[in-house]
Amino acid sequence: MQERYYQKEIETMPVEEIKKLQSEKLVKQVKHVYENVPYYRDLMDQKGVTPADIHGIEDLHKLPFLTKADLRDAYPYGLLAKPLSECVRIQSTSGTTGKRVVAFYTRHDVDLWEDCCARAITAVGGTNEDVCQVAYGYGLFTGGPGLNGGSHKVGCLTLPMSSGFTERQIQFMMDLKATILCCTPSYAAYIGETLQEQGYKPEDIPLKAGIFGAEPWTEEMRRGIEQTLGIKAYDIYGLTETTGPGVSFECSEQTGMHINEDHFLAEIIDPDTGEVLPEGSKGELVFTSLDKEAFPLLRYRTRDICVLSRKKCSCGRTFIKMTKPMGRSDDMLIIRGVNVFPSQIETVLLNEGYQPNYQIIVDRVGNTDTFDVNVEMNPDQFTDTVSGVTALEKSLSEAMKTMLGINPKVHLVAPKSIVRSEGKAVRVIDKRKLH
Ligand code: ADP
Ligand code: ZN
């Protein structure tokens, strides 16, 4: 496939020029925030830093961090940097890890966000010949509006389906010949499963590519979705606090997601000490939005754990790449003192031939954590004898022990008994928090 770019000059700009552009934008942005956001000005004053100390990206480390707690503290208007009369949009986080936060956008902010999404759609081969089915939720959640805007910019025929009503998704996909599907990976898997049940083979499905993100997903899950839908599946990343999806996106090389560095300046820090780590280190991703007007967060700690790399990419883009975040620092469960990420469990399941339909239940009895994983049986196992099922559960539990270091109690449950997700999947029920 011939590589396509939405804004070639920017996307393939020499690294030195990107850094220069970032420096210029940062100096302006710090001034804008200092003058208009008393909340952040106070943080800067406490650290003894003023806009005059920031001459370029090399001074970024002098600025204070912002965290989700700050956003909740400052809710709703405390971090706003423009009068509301200049704002045209509000979006909100999904509230996956607590109280929702709201973000504001001027016309310029919506425009740059949609450009980012248009770059992502173009990178998967999207053109005005495509029919782009947007099955992310519309509304306060950024997924639907972001990809919708990007799809318009590219000139695709946009199908604003929103999430849910899976039968209708399939009917429109087939009747209107959708070629690009945008939704969460868990919803893509569900759509694929439903198509399969209806007797569709991958070659019957008009889709050629999918843009899936908003939640962690494994390579194994990617392969599963690609096979059932007969497509190439691409990752996309973003968060409401910085705009929404499109902060970074995958290109044809599929070895990480290019960060739209003309708008977002990325750092990796040690989540415990806040120390900035060199390129190639694994740590917490921190973003500074360089030219957003209404809600310009500086050094925002995402809690997403990943690695950055500026290795040359075969697609020609020069933007730095981030690895797929395999969980946020606060997704990590500590069970009997051992760190467990849901994505590790998903990897084991897919390797062992199961579907990624599972739920992790953690509780505490006395002083000991209990750790149970419900996994759907494959239809052919459903008829197994009780002892047959027990043996399967045991072997799955052993495979998880090899990956995690501790044994969960695995329960194979009937096919289709775990509720399917149309948005972000809920994988963990931690009852310990309720105590
Ligand atoms: P919430 O934090 O309430 O889920 P958002 O809807 O803004 O709010 O989601 C942003 C978060 O979703 C990111 O910080 C990240 O943890 C997760 N995320 C988004 N895209 C991806 C992706 N491609 N891979 C893994 N995680 C992702
Ligand atoms: Zn690339």
Side-chain angles (χ1 to χ4, degrees):
M1 179 175 86
Q2 153 113 51
E3 196 69 42
R4 290 175 198 279
Y5 312 93
Y6 180 66
Q7 289 164 312
K8 186 169 183 202
E9 265 148 62
I10 302 172
E11 294 176 65
T12 60
M13 189 182 258
V15 176
E16 280 318 305
E17 272 180 52
I18 295 174
K19 291 191 172 168
K20 197 164 150 259
L21 180 70
Q22 288 182 321
S23 285
E24 285 164 14
K25 288 189 177 187
L26 179 68
V27 170
K28 274 200 211 135
Q29 186 72 310
V30 172
K31 201 159 166 281
H32 170 56
V33 172
Y34 193 81
E35 284 167 4
N36 295 292
V37 184
Y39 189 99
Y40 198 77
R41 179 163 64 232
D42 286 348
L43 293 178
M44 284 177 64
D45 289 345
Q46 279 163 31
K47 252 196 133 195
V49 51
T50 69
D53 299 315
I54 309 298
H55 304 286
I57 54 175
E58 66 284 0
D59 295 322
L60 184 65
H61 66 100
K62 296 179 182 165
L63 293 168
F65 291 118
L66 275 173
T67 64
K68 203 140 188 162
D70 289 311
L71 265 63
R72 289 178 179 143
D73 256 11
Y75 175 92
Y77 301 126
L79 290 161
L80 192 62
K82 280 279 181 185
L84 282 176
S85 56
E86 287 185 41
C87 298
V88 296
R89 182 88 68 81
I90 288 180
Q91 305 278 175
S92 165
T93 60
S94 324
T96 312
T97 58
K99 186 177 155 191
R100 289 161 191 266
V101 300
V102 288
F104 300 83
Y105 305 69
T106 61
R107 224 175 271 282
H108 161 270
D109 298 338
V110 172
D111 195 45
L112 78 84
W113 173 27
E114 292 180 351
D115 279 345
C116 291
C117 291
R119 290 177 191 172
I121 294 171
T122 309
V124 312
T127 68
N128 60 0
E129 303 289 326
D130 281 291
V131 177
C132 182
Q133 177 161 357
V134 183
Y136 282 110
Y138 279 62
L140 283 170
F141 176 53
T142 52
L147 269 310
N148 189 90
S151 173
H152 273 206
K153 286 211 170 199
V154 173
C156 303
L157 178 57
T158 310
L159 263 172
M161 299 296 298
S162 196
S163 59
F165 302 101
T166 307
E167 297 288 323
R168 193 175 64 191
Q169 300 276 359
I170 289 173
Q171 185 201 331
F172 274 68
M173 177 186 290
M174 301 306 291
D175 292 350
L176 301 172
K177 304 200 173 26
T179 50
I180 300 176
L181 175 65
C182 308
C183 60
T184 59
S186 50
Y187 193 40
Y190 179 35
I191 293 176
E193 184 182 62
T194 313
L195 277 160
Q196 220 169 24
E197 279 166 12
Q198 294 183 357
Y200 289 108
K201 305 228 160 23
E203 58 274 20
D204 307 329
I205 303 169
L207 293 175
K208 63 178 190 196
I211 304 181
F212 307 130
E215 63 181 355
W217 52 314
T218 54
E219 282 304 323
E220 292 80 2
M221 185 150 167
R222 178 186 337 235
R223 281 197 290 278
I225 296 171
E226 289 188 332
Q227 274 161 18
T228 22
L229 293 176
I231 59 170
K232 216 162 153 53
Y234 297 83
D235 206 355
I236 185 166
Y237 167 90
L239 61 165
T240 314
E241 295 90 322
T242 53
T243 46
V247 169
S248 65
F249 61 96
E250 239 176 13
C251 62
S252 53
E253 193 179 286
Q254 297 198 306
T255 53
M257 294 178 273
H258 289 286
I259 295 173
N260 281 307
E261 285 192 284
D262 52 333
H263 302 304
F264 308 106
L265 178 53
E267 299 170 273
I268 290 286
I269 62 163
D270 177 326
D272 297 324
T273 63
E275 182 200 347
V276 180
L277 301 177
E279 192 194 309
S281 318
K282 185 170 171 181
E284 180 179 348
L285 186 58
V286 173
F287 278 118
T288 295
S289 68
L290 290 168
D291 48 10
K292 262 173 62 189
E293 298 174 336
F295 200 66
L297 302 187
L298 305 182
R299 298 199 89 197
Y300 179 65
R301 294 183 57 161
T302 63
R303 298 182 294 180
D304 291 323
I305 304 292
C306 69
V307 178
L308 296 180
S309 158
R310 216 180 261 290
K311 229 172 104 199
K312 197 169 184 314
C313 188
S314 59
C315 77
R317 287 179 185 77
T318 44
F319 290 157
I320 202 164
K321 286 199 284 194
M322 59 182 270
T323 54
K324 190 193 270 297
M326 285 324 296
R328 324 182 198 204
S329 48
D330 50 1
D331 266 350
M332 189 184 76
L333 291 158
I334 302 181
I335 306 174
R336 288 177 228 143
V338 176
N339 298 347
V340 174
F341 280 100
S343 55
Q344 294 174 302
I345 299 204
E346 187 173 304
T347 300
V348 174
L349 290 180
L350 288 147
N351 283 341
E352 299 288 317
Y354 291 86
Q355 296 302 309
N357 299 316
Y358 64 98
Q359 205 145 40
I360 302 166
I361 301 141
V362 192
D363 203 348
R364 184 162 288 165
V365 178
N367 286 324
T368 313
D369 293 332
T370 59
F371 177 22
D372 294 77
V373 183
N374 293 338
V375 178
E376 275 184 15
M377 280 184 237
N378 291 322
D380 59 322
Q381 296 167 331
F382 195 43
T383 49
D384 268 15
T385 57
V386 174
S387 61
V389 170
T390 311
L392 290 171
E393 288 174 338
K394 202 155 172 267
S395 97
L396 202 45
S397 171
E398 281 308 313
M400 288 186 192
K401 181 166 185 199
T402 311
M403 171 72 101
L404 306 169
I406 55 169
N407 269 106
K409 211 179 210 159
V410 172
H411 310 271
L412 286 174
V413 299
K416 306 230 111 199
S417 61
I418 293 177
V419 82
R420 296 293 186 270
S421 152
E422 295 168 351
K424 300 195 189 211
V426 179
R427 306 289 196 194
V428 180
I429 302 171
D430 192 344
K431 297 183 178 166
R432 296 175 300 183
K433 286 186 190 143
L434 305 176
H435 292 173

PDB file of all heavy atoms in Angstrom, residues 1-4 119-130 154 156 179-180 208-209 211 234 250 252 317:
ATOM      1  N   MET A   1       0.847  -1.202   0.000  1.00  0.00           N
ATOM      2  CA  MET A   1       0.000   0.000   0.000  1.00  0.00           C
ATOM      3  C   MET A   1       0.880   1.249   0.000  1.00  0.00           C
ATOM      4  O   MET A   1       1.818   1.345   0.779  1.00  0.00           O
ATOM      5  CB  MET A   1      -0.873  -0.017   1.270  1.00  0.00           C
ATOM      6  CG  MET A   1      -1.772   1.177   1.418  1.00  0.00           C
ATOM      7  SD  MET A   1      -2.876   1.025   2.857  1.00  0.00           S
ATOM      8  CE  MET A   1      -1.833   1.658   4.180  1.00  0.00           C
ATOM      9  N   GLN A   2       0.572   2.150  -0.893  1.00  0.00           N
ATOM     10  CA  GLN A   2       1.315   3.417  -0.947  1.00  0.00           C
ATOM     11  C   GLN A   2       0.991   4.229   0.315  1.00  0.00           C
ATOM     12  O   GLN A   2      -0.168   4.360   0.678  1.00  0.00           O
ATOM     13  CB  GLN A   2       0.865   4.150  -2.212  1.00  0.00           C
ATOM     14  CG  GLN A   2       0.987   5.647  -2.156  1.00  0.00           C
ATOM     15  CD  GLN A   2       2.040   6.142  -3.120  1.00  0.00           C
ATOM     16  OE1 GLN A   2       2.019   5.786  -4.296  1.00  0.00           O
ATOM     17  NE2 GLN A   2       2.959   6.944  -2.631  1.00  0.00           N
ATOM     18  N   GLU A   3       2.036   4.721   0.980  1.00  0.00           N
ATOM     19  CA  GLU A   3       1.801   5.453   2.231  1.00  0.00           C
ATOM     20  C   GLU A   3       1.080   6.772   1.950  1.00  0.00           C
ATOM     21  O   GLU A   3       1.447   7.499   1.032  1.00  0.00           O
ATOM     22  CB  GLU A   3       3.158   5.727   2.902  1.00  0.00           C
ATOM     23  CG  GLU A   3       3.060   6.115   4.346  1.00  0.00           C
ATOM     24  CD  GLU A   3       2.601   4.983   5.265  1.00  0.00           C
ATOM     25  OE1 GLU A   3       3.073   3.846   5.093  1.00  0.00           O
ATOM     26  OE2 GLU A   3       1.775   5.254   6.148  1.00  0.00           O
ATOM     27  N   ARG A   4       0.049   7.041   2.699  1.00  0.00           N
ATOM     28  CA  ARG A   4      -0.662   8.304   2.540  1.00  0.00           C
ATOM     29  C   ARG A   4      -0.525   9.118   3.824  1.00  0.00           C
ATOM     30  O   ARG A   4      -0.488   8.551   4.904  1.00  0.00           O
ATOM     31  CB  ARG A   4      -2.155   8.059   2.348  1.00  0.00           C
ATOM     32  CG  ARG A   4      -2.536   7.436   1.059  1.00  0.00           C
ATOM     33  CD  ARG A   4      -4.041   7.169   1.107  1.00  0.00           C
ATOM     34  NE  ARG A   4      -4.421   6.206   0.105  1.00  0.00           N
ATOM     35  CZ  ARG A   4      -4.614   6.507  -1.164  1.00  0.00           C
ATOM     36  NH1 ARG A   4      -4.476   7.741  -1.575  1.00  0.00           N
ATOM     37  NH2 ARG A   4      -4.950   5.586  -2.024  1.00  0.00           N
ATOM     38  N   ARG A 119      -5.424  12.329  10.421  1.00  0.00           N
ATOM     39  CA  ARG A 119      -4.108  11.716  10.156  1.00  0.00           C
ATOM     40  C   ARG A 119      -4.173  10.207  10.398  1.00  0.00           C
ATOM     41  O   ARG A 119      -3.609   9.413   9.643  1.00  0.00           O
ATOM     42  CB  ARG A 119      -3.041  12.326  11.078  1.00  0.00           C
ATOM     43  CG  ARG A 119      -2.701  13.765  10.744  1.00  0.00           C
ATOM     44  CD  ARG A 119      -1.680  14.323  11.745  1.00  0.00           C
ATOM     45  NE  ARG A 119      -1.536  15.773  11.603  1.00  0.00           N
ATOM     46  CZ  ARG A 119      -0.848  16.527  12.441  1.00  0.00           C
ATOM     47  NH1 ARG A 119      -0.223  15.984  13.482  1.00  0.00           N
ATOM     48  NH2 ARG A 119      -0.755  17.835  12.249  1.00  0.00           N
ATOM     49  N   ALA A 120      -4.880   9.827  11.476  1.00  0.00           N
ATOM     50  CA  ALA A 120      -4.976   8.399  11.815  1.00  0.00           C
ATOM     51  C   ALA A 120      -5.748   7.633  10.744  1.00  0.00           C
ATOM     52  O   ALA A 120      -5.353   6.535  10.333  1.00  0.00           O
ATOM     53  CB  ALA A 120      -5.660   8.242  13.172  1.00  0.00           C
ATOM     54  N   ILE A 121      -6.831   8.229  10.261  1.00  0.00           N
ATOM     55  CA  ILE A 121      -7.651   7.543   9.248  1.00  0.00           C
ATOM     56  C   ILE A 121      -6.868   7.436   7.931  1.00  0.00           C
ATOM     57  O   ILE A 121      -6.875   6.407   7.261  1.00  0.00           O
ATOM     58  CB  ILE A 121      -8.994   8.289   9.048  1.00  0.00           C
ATOM     59  CG1 ILE A 121      -9.832   8.187  10.339  1.00  0.00           C
ATOM     60  CG2 ILE A 121      -9.768   7.726   7.855  1.00  0.00           C
ATOM     61  CD1 ILE A 121     -11.091   9.054  10.352  1.00  0.00           C
ATOM     62  N   THR A 122      -6.152   8.512   7.599  1.00  0.00           N
ATOM     63  CA  THR A 122      -5.362   8.485   6.359  1.00  0.00           C
ATOM     64  C   THR A 122      -4.239   7.451   6.464  1.00  0.00           C
ATOM     65  O   THR A 122      -3.920   6.772   5.492  1.00  0.00           O
ATOM     66  CB  THR A 122      -4.792   9.892   6.062  1.00  0.00           C
ATOM     67  OG1 THR A 122      -5.852  10.830   6.136  1.00  0.00           O
ATOM     68  CG2 THR A 122      -4.155   9.948   4.688  1.00  0.00           C
ATOM     69  N   ALA A 123      -3.673   7.313   7.661  1.00  0.00           N
ATOM     70  CA  ALA A 123      -2.558   6.369   7.844  1.00  0.00           C
ATOM     71  C   ALA A 123      -2.990   4.912   7.624  1.00  0.00           C
ATOM     72  O   ALA A 123      -2.166   4.065   7.305  1.00  0.00           O
ATOM     73  CB  ALA A 123      -1.946   6.528   9.234  1.00  0.00           C
ATOM     74  N   VAL A 124      -4.268   4.614   7.794  1.00  0.00           N
ATOM     75  CA  VAL A 124      -4.717   3.238   7.527  1.00  0.00           C
ATOM     76  C   VAL A 124      -5.196   3.094   6.081  1.00  0.00           C
ATOM     77  O   VAL A 124      -5.744   2.071   5.698  1.00  0.00           O
ATOM     78  CB  VAL A 124      -5.826   2.759   8.510  1.00  0.00           C
ATOM     79  CG1 VAL A 124      -5.453   3.062   9.941  1.00  0.00           C
ATOM     80  CG2 VAL A 124      -7.206   3.339   8.189  1.00  0.00           C
ATOM     81  N   GLY A 125      -5.001   4.134   5.294  1.00  0.00           N
ATOM     82  CA  GLY A 125      -5.353   4.069   3.872  1.00  0.00           C
ATOM     83  C   GLY A 125      -6.658   4.763   3.532  1.00  0.00           C
ATOM     84  O   GLY A 125      -7.125   4.690   2.392  1.00  0.00           O
ATOM     85  N   GLY A 126      -7.262   5.437   4.511  1.00  0.00           N
ATOM     86  CA  GLY A 126      -8.571   6.068   4.279  1.00  0.00           C
ATOM     87  C   GLY A 126      -8.503   7.219   3.281  1.00  0.00           C
ATOM     88  O   GLY A 126      -7.577   8.030   3.316  1.00  0.00           O
ATOM     89  N   THR A 127      -9.495   7.280   2.385  1.00  0.00           N
ATOM     90  CA  THR A 127      -9.618   8.376   1.408  1.00  0.00           C
ATOM     91  C   THR A 127     -11.102   8.721   1.250  1.00  0.00           C
ATOM     92  O   THR A 127     -11.946   8.106   1.892  1.00  0.00           O
ATOM     93  CB  THR A 127      -9.116   7.961   0.004  1.00  0.00           C
ATOM     94  OG1 THR A 127     -10.029   6.983  -0.512  1.00  0.00           O
ATOM     95  CG2 THR A 127      -7.722   7.383   0.032  1.00  0.00           C
ATOM     96  N   ASN A 128     -11.388   9.618   0.315  1.00  0.00           N
ATOM     97  CA  ASN A 128     -12.794   9.965   0.084  1.00  0.00           C
ATOM     98  C   ASN A 128     -13.566   8.858  -0.632  1.00  0.00           C
ATOM     99  O   ASN A 128     -14.750   8.979  -0.888  1.00  0.00           O
ATOM    100  CB  ASN A 128     -12.908  11.311  -0.654  1.00  0.00           C
ATOM    101  CG  ASN A 128     -12.213  11.278  -1.995  1.00  0.00           C
ATOM    102  OD1 ASN A 128     -11.637  10.245  -2.375  1.00  0.00           O
ATOM    103  ND2 ASN A 128     -12.235  12.375  -2.713  1.00  0.00           N
ATOM    104  N   GLU A 129     -12.887   7.762  -0.938  1.00  0.00           N
ATOM    105  CA  GLU A 129     -13.573   6.598  -1.523  1.00  0.00           C
ATOM    106  C   GLU A 129     -14.118   5.688  -0.419  1.00  0.00           C
ATOM    107  O   GLU A 129     -14.799   4.706  -0.700  1.00  0.00           O
ATOM    108  CB  GLU A 129     -12.591   5.762  -2.365  1.00  0.00           C
ATOM    109  CG  GLU A 129     -11.900   6.507  -3.489  1.00  0.00           C
ATOM    110  CD  GLU A 129     -12.861   6.833  -4.615  1.00  0.00           C
ATOM    111  OE1 GLU A 129     -13.770   6.020  -4.867  1.00  0.00           O
ATOM    112  OE2 GLU A 129     -12.715   7.928  -5.217  1.00  0.00           O
ATOM    113  N   ASP A 130     -13.744   5.968   0.834  1.00  0.00           N
ATOM    114  CA  ASP A 130     -14.095   5.032   1.909  1.00  0.00           C
ATOM    115  C   ASP A 130     -15.405   5.362   2.599  1.00  0.00           C
ATOM    116  O   ASP A 130     -15.830   6.521   2.628  1.00  0.00           O
ATOM    117  CB  ASP A 130     -12.974   5.009   2.957  1.00  0.00           C
ATOM    118  CG  ASP A 130     -11.810   4.164   2.490  1.00  0.00           C
ATOM    119  OD1 ASP A 130     -11.991   2.938   2.421  1.00  0.00           O
ATOM    120  OD2 ASP A 130     -10.744   4.724   2.157  1.00  0.00           O
ATOM    121  N   VAL A 154     -11.261  13.822   6.167  1.00  0.00           N
ATOM    122  CA  VAL A 154     -10.657  13.010   5.108  1.00  0.00           C
ATOM    123  C   VAL A 154     -11.593  12.949   3.900  1.00  0.00           C
ATOM    124  O   VAL A 154     -11.157  12.755   2.765  1.00  0.00           O
ATOM    125  CB  VAL A 154     -10.346  11.587   5.641  1.00  0.00           C
ATOM    126  CG1 VAL A 154      -9.868  10.667   4.536  1.00  0.00           C
ATOM    127  CG2 VAL A 154      -9.297  11.652   6.759  1.00  0.00           C
ATOM    128  N   CYS A 156     -14.293  10.864   3.924  1.00  0.00           N
ATOM    129  CA  CYS A 156     -14.956   9.557   3.880  1.00  0.00           C
ATOM    130  C   CYS A 156     -16.460   9.789   3.987  1.00  0.00           C
ATOM    131  O   CYS A 156     -16.911  10.771   4.573  1.00  0.00           O
ATOM    132  CB  CYS A 156     -14.568   8.691   5.074  1.00  0.00           C
ATOM    133  SG  CYS A 156     -12.825   8.395   5.280  1.00  0.00           S
ATOM    134  N   THR A 179     -16.030   0.332   4.807  1.00  0.00           N
ATOM    135  CA  THR A 179     -14.676  -0.178   4.560  1.00  0.00           C
ATOM    136  C   THR A 179     -13.748   0.042   5.748  1.00  0.00           C
ATOM    137  O   THR A 179     -12.732  -0.614   5.871  1.00  0.00           O
ATOM    138  CB  THR A 179     -14.067   0.502   3.315  1.00  0.00           C
ATOM    139  OG1 THR A 179     -14.228   1.921   3.468  1.00  0.00           O
ATOM    140  CG2 THR A 179     -14.750   0.048   2.040  1.00  0.00           C
ATOM    141  N   ILE A 180     -14.100   1.016   6.622  1.00  0.00           N
ATOM    142  CA  ILE A 180     -13.275   1.267   7.813  1.00  0.00           C
ATOM    143  C   ILE A 180     -14.202   1.249   9.021  1.00  0.00           C
ATOM    144  O   ILE A 180     -15.251   1.900   9.015  1.00  0.00           O
ATOM    145  CB  ILE A 180     -12.562   2.631   7.721  1.00  0.00           C
ATOM    146  CG1 ILE A 180     -11.642   2.676   6.496  1.00  0.00           C
ATOM    147  CG2 ILE A 180     -11.750   2.904   8.995  1.00  0.00           C
ATOM    148  CD1 ILE A 180     -10.970   4.015   6.263  1.00  0.00           C
ATOM    149  N   LYS A 208     -12.033  -3.172   5.237  1.00  0.00           N
ATOM    150  CA  LYS A 208     -10.626  -3.450   4.942  1.00  0.00           C
ATOM    151  C   LYS A 208      -9.719  -3.090   6.120  1.00  0.00           C
ATOM    152  O   LYS A 208      -8.651  -3.645   6.282  1.00  0.00           O
ATOM    153  CB  LYS A 208     -10.179  -2.757   3.660  1.00  0.00           C
ATOM    154  CG  LYS A 208     -10.247  -1.241   3.745  1.00  0.00           C
ATOM    155  CD  LYS A 208      -9.760  -0.554   2.485  1.00  0.00           C
ATOM    156  CE  LYS A 208      -9.615   0.930   2.727  1.00  0.00           C
ATOM    157  NZ  LYS A 208      -9.513   1.748   1.546  1.00  0.00           N
ATOM    158  N   ALA A 209     -10.165  -2.142   6.931  1.00  0.00           N
ATOM    159  CA  ALA A 209      -9.317  -1.728   8.064  1.00  0.00           C
ATOM    160  C   ALA A 209     -10.186  -1.351   9.258  1.00  0.00           C
ATOM    161  O   ALA A 209     -11.357  -1.005   9.111  1.00  0.00           O
ATOM    162  CB  ALA A 209      -8.458  -0.536   7.666  1.00  0.00           C
ATOM    163  N   ILE A 211      -9.916   0.869  13.118  1.00  0.00           N
ATOM    164  CA  ILE A 211      -9.129   1.755  13.982  1.00  0.00           C
ATOM    165  C   ILE A 211      -9.695   1.591  15.384  1.00  0.00           C
ATOM    166  O   ILE A 211     -10.801   2.061  15.676  1.00  0.00           O
ATOM    167  CB  ILE A 211      -9.217   3.218  13.501  1.00  0.00           C
ATOM    168  CG1 ILE A 211      -8.778   3.305  12.038  1.00  0.00           C
ATOM    169  CG2 ILE A 211      -8.372   4.123  14.389  1.00  0.00           C
ATOM    170  CD1 ILE A 211      -8.808   4.713  11.466  1.00  0.00           C
ATOM    171  N   TYR A 234      -5.743  -1.482  13.337  1.00  0.00           N
ATOM    172  CA  TYR A 234      -4.773  -0.471  13.779  1.00  0.00           C
ATOM    173  C   TYR A 234      -5.171   0.088  15.144  1.00  0.00           C
ATOM    174  O   TYR A 234      -6.351   0.216  15.456  1.00  0.00           O
ATOM    175  CB  TYR A 234      -4.719   0.686  12.791  1.00  0.00           C
ATOM    176  CG  TYR A 234      -4.242   0.313  11.414  1.00  0.00           C
ATOM    177  CD1 TYR A 234      -5.119  -0.222  10.474  1.00  0.00           C
ATOM    178  CD2 TYR A 234      -2.916   0.496  11.046  1.00  0.00           C
ATOM    179  CE1 TYR A 234      -4.690  -0.560   9.200  1.00  0.00           C
ATOM    180  CE2 TYR A 234      -2.474   0.171   9.773  1.00  0.00           C
ATOM    181  CZ  TYR A 234      -3.363  -0.361   8.850  1.00  0.00           C
ATOM    182  OH  TYR A 234      -2.938  -0.689   7.587  1.00  0.00           O
ATOM    183  N   GLU A 250      -1.389   4.458  14.836  1.00  0.00           N
ATOM    184  CA  GLU A 250      -0.499   3.511  14.186  1.00  0.00           C
ATOM    185  C   GLU A 250      -0.413   3.769  12.685  1.00  0.00           C
ATOM    186  O   GLU A 250      -1.402   4.161  12.061  1.00  0.00           O
ATOM    187  CB  GLU A 250      -1.029   2.092  14.403  1.00  0.00           C
ATOM    188  CG  GLU A 250      -0.057   1.213  15.111  1.00  0.00           C
ATOM    189  CD  GLU A 250      -0.628  -0.154  15.413  1.00  0.00           C
ATOM    190  OE1 GLU A 250      -1.685  -0.537  14.881  1.00  0.00           O
ATOM    191  OE2 GLU A 250       0.011  -0.853  16.196  1.00  0.00           O
ATOM    192  N   SER A 252       1.487   2.060   8.864  1.00  0.00           N
ATOM    193  CA  SER A 252       1.582   0.741   8.230  1.00  0.00           C
ATOM    194  C   SER A 252       2.611  -0.164   8.907  1.00  0.00           C
ATOM    195  O   SER A 252       2.485  -1.380   8.881  1.00  0.00           O
ATOM    196  CB  SER A 252       1.944   0.916   6.754  1.00  0.00           C
ATOM    197  OG  SER A 252       3.098   1.729   6.650  1.00  0.00           O
ATOM    198  N   ARG A 317       7.034   8.839   8.505  1.00  0.00           N
ATOM    199  CA  ARG A 317       6.685   9.822   9.547  1.00  0.00           C
ATOM    200  C   ARG A 317       7.862   9.948  10.511  1.00  0.00           C
ATOM    201  O   ARG A 317       8.553   8.959  10.798  1.00  0.00           O
ATOM    202  CB  ARG A 317       5.431   9.381  10.317  1.00  0.00           C
ATOM    203  CG  ARG A 317       4.173   9.533   9.491  1.00  0.00           C
ATOM    204  CD  ARG A 317       2.929   9.084  10.246  1.00  0.00           C
ATOM    205  NE  ARG A 317       1.774   9.151   9.367  1.00  0.00           N
ATOM    206  CZ  ARG A 317       1.487   8.260   8.421  1.00  0.00           C
ATOM    207  NH1 ARG A 317       2.254   7.208   8.253  1.00  0.00           N
ATOM    208  NH2 ARG A 317       0.440   8.422   7.632  1.00  0.00           N
TER     209      ARG A 317
END
